[in-house]
Amino acid sequence: MISGYEQNGLAERAIEVYREMQVAQVVPDSATFVTTLSACAQAGALDLGREVERRIVSDQMDVSVFLGSALVNMYARCGLVSKARDWFDRLQERNVVTWTSMIAGYGMHGHGCEAIKLFHLMRLEGPTPNDVTFVAVLAACAHAGLVNEGRSAFDSMKRVYGLVPRAEHYCSMVDMYGRAGLLDDAMQFIRDSIPGEPGPEVWTAMLGACKMHKNFNLGVEVAERLIALEPENPSHRVLLSNIYALSGKMNHVEKVRNVMIKRRLKKQIGYSLIELGGTSHLFRMGEKSHQQTREIYQYLEELIHRISDAGYVPETDSVLHELEEEEREVALRYHSEKLAVAYGLMMSSGSTTPIRVIKNLRICGDCHLAIKFMSSVESREIIVRDKHRFHHFKDGKCSCLEYW
């Protein structure tokens, strides 16, 4: 049951079943811990992951390659990449999943050079890389600006290992070129290297790059291709609307929004999770259902005031463009990640342990800026795992070096 829930993306329910198993006093075995650690990795449930690790150590369990890989993956995806590497180095046996999990962990944290070093070590000492390994390697290169290394890895995938690239590999290559600002190279790669019609994942990566580097004409062209492929996907129209707004074409913004209203298309709702004392707290934008809502909002207001004194100015491009400037600032203030961070800081005042937040979507530009300031004025490390990667905020800086 735990495995079934975890494999279907219902990590919180998987964790609940594990807790029910404890109450029923059923003794877990190695397979139980593997699936529970996988659920912890998915949900970012670090406290439970540590609890499982303590149980494994205290029971002197044989840490098989499967259990060891699960520990590596859990710590990497819960933000402790150094702890993941500790377990990786301790394992007597490592399979392709173990190596790939560690490479992916480095990539998610923006440690592209470490990912490439480990990949080279794997080619020398480890098992033969598989197609999933190359997804991890290419993603690591994309998130660290390692274009030459990414090209080399992609070439070796086909030439040395005889692996046929899948959509994920093509998408990572386009993402890599796009993030580095090499939009012409990205388009040439799409034309010359991808057989058949590129899928929506490829064009989504390209569209994100166009928005990032403010190439609005190309962005509109790419967005229209995406909408033709997936007309009922609201996120493509939202991105197109944002590109029109950034380029000052407000009449086009209104047309896109009207189509969305007519088709009843709504963008995915963002939320942020923070785990405190083994309990997860979920926040959405403007969340008011939490029992400590009044205190959270009051604390956030004081925090915004302090970071504003320190130089923070809201990035109002991160919110709907039809709002007036003052309304945009208010809408930005109550984004889910700000609420989650404020709650974490409020509930752990005086502590020096990092604040850990998980967001289901990409962190917005304004929240990224605000949390940098929060890490400085509060003298706390704040770790945010968004849809694509980890951001470690400390002393007013982020580990991503604005490369996200």
Side-chain angles (χ1 to χ4, degrees), residues 242-258:
N242 289 339
I243 285 172
Y244 278 138
L246 288 168
S247 60
K249 299 177 180 178
M250 299 311 294
N251 58 323
H252 288 74
V253 172
E254 188 176 352
K255 287 178 183 177
V256 174
R257 295 287 165 84
N258 287 339

Side-chain angles (χ1 to χ4, degrees), residues 53-326:
E53 180 199 32
R54 286 193 295 270
R55 180 75 181 270
I56 292 166
V57 173
S58 66
D59 290 355
Q60 297 184 323
M61 293 186 71
D62 175 37
V63 180
S64 67
V65 65
F66 304 106
L67 189 53
S69 298
L71 283 161
V72 169
N73 183 52
M74 184 276 292
Y75 274 118
R77 294 192 63 191
C78 286
L80 292 178
V81 70
S82 60
K83 183 73 172 175
R85 184 60 191 257
D86 287 345
W87 269 108
F88 179 86
D89 290 337
R90 285 166 61 181
L91 295 177
Q92 297 297 313
E93 182 187 358
R94 307 182 191 105
N95 63 9
V96 68
V97 175
T98 321
W99 287 85
T100 300
S101 295
M102 195 64 244
I103 292 168
Y106 277 134
M108 286 183 72
H109 290 268
H111 303 323
C113 291
E114 286 83 352
I116 290 297
K117 284 179 188 175
L118 193 62
F119 175 58
H120 289 322
L121 188 63
M122 180 184 185
R123 295 175 71 174
L124 289 171
E125 301 179 2
T128 302
N130 63 15
D131 58 344
V132 181
T133 308
F134 279 96
V135 171
V137 171
L138 294 174
C141 292
H143 284 297
L146 302 176
V147 175
N148 290 333
E149 292 83 349
R151 283 178 177 144
S152 175
F154 185 77
D155 176 63
S156 72
M157 176 187 174
K158 298 184 293 181
R159 182 175 49 81
V160 178
Y161 297 100
L163 296 170
V164 178
R166 293 185 283 108
E168 293 91 337
H169 303 102
Y170 293 126
C171 182
S172 291
M173 287 295 290
V174 172
D175 189 38
M176 180 187 73
Y177 285 124
R179 287 177 187 274
L182 304 172
L183 301 186
D184 290 341
D185 290 43
M187 287 300 292
Q188 184 175 346
F189 179 84
I190 291 171
R191 286 193 297 267
D192 298 345
S193 301
I194 301 179
E197 177 63 30
E201 305 91 347
V202 169
W203 291 118
T204 299
M206 191 68 221
L207 181 56
C210 292
K211 182 173 180 283
M212 181 190 302
H213 295 288
K214 295 181 168 50
N215 188 326
F216 303 128
N217 290 333
L218 181 58
V220 169
E221 177 190 329
V222 171
E224 288 174 348
R225 285 177 180 267
L226 261 174
I227 290 168
L229 284 172
E230 295 184 327
E232 301 305 312
N233 188 328
S235 62
H236 304 332
R237 296 180 191 271
V238 169
L239 268 173
L240 176 60
S241 172
N242 289 339
I243 285 172
Y244 278 138
L246 288 168
S247 60
K249 299 177 180 178
M250 299 311 294
N251 58 323
H252 288 74
V253 172
E254 188 176 352
K255 287 178 183 177
V256 174
R257 295 287 165 84
N258 287 339
V259 169
M260 290 183 69
I261 292 168
K262 185 177 179 181
R263 292 189 174 217
R264 297 180 181 179
L265 301 177
K266 295 182 179 180
K267 64 181 290 189
Q268 185 179 359
I269 296 173
Y271 64 81
S272 296
L273 281 169
I274 183 168
E275 185 187 45
L276 294 174
T279 302
S280 292
H281 301 263
L282 185 145
F283 294 90
R284 296 184 180 86
M285 188 176 79
E287 181 71 45
K288 292 189 177 180
S289 63
H290 197 280
Q291 60 184 6
Q292 291 177 271
T293 292
R294 186 177 62 83
E295 294 95 328
I296 296 167
Y297 274 66
Q298 183 178 340
Y299 189 93
L300 180 57
E301 291 294 337
E302 294 169 359
L303 195 54
I304 296 292
H305 181 73
R306 289 172 60 203
I307 65 174
S308 296
D309 288 344
Y312 162 70
V313 178
E315 287 191 0
T316 52
D317 281 344
S318 299
V319 77
L320 299 176
H321 293 269
E322 63 264 27
L323 298 177
E324 296 298 326
E325 190 76 13
E326 187 174 334

Side-chain angles (χ1 to χ4, degrees), residues 357-387:
V357 171
I358 293 175
K359 179 159 188 189
N360 67 323
L361 304 177
R362 185 176 182 269
I363 188 172
C364 86
D366 180 70
C367 287
H368 192 269
L369 176 64
I371 296 172
K372 281 198 293 185
F373 276 97
M374 290 175 187
S375 73
S376 178
V377 300
E378 288 285 322
S379 299
R380 291 285 291 278
E381 183 178 2
I382 301 169
I383 301 170
V384 179
R385 186 182 99 187
D386 72 5
K387 186 178 181 181

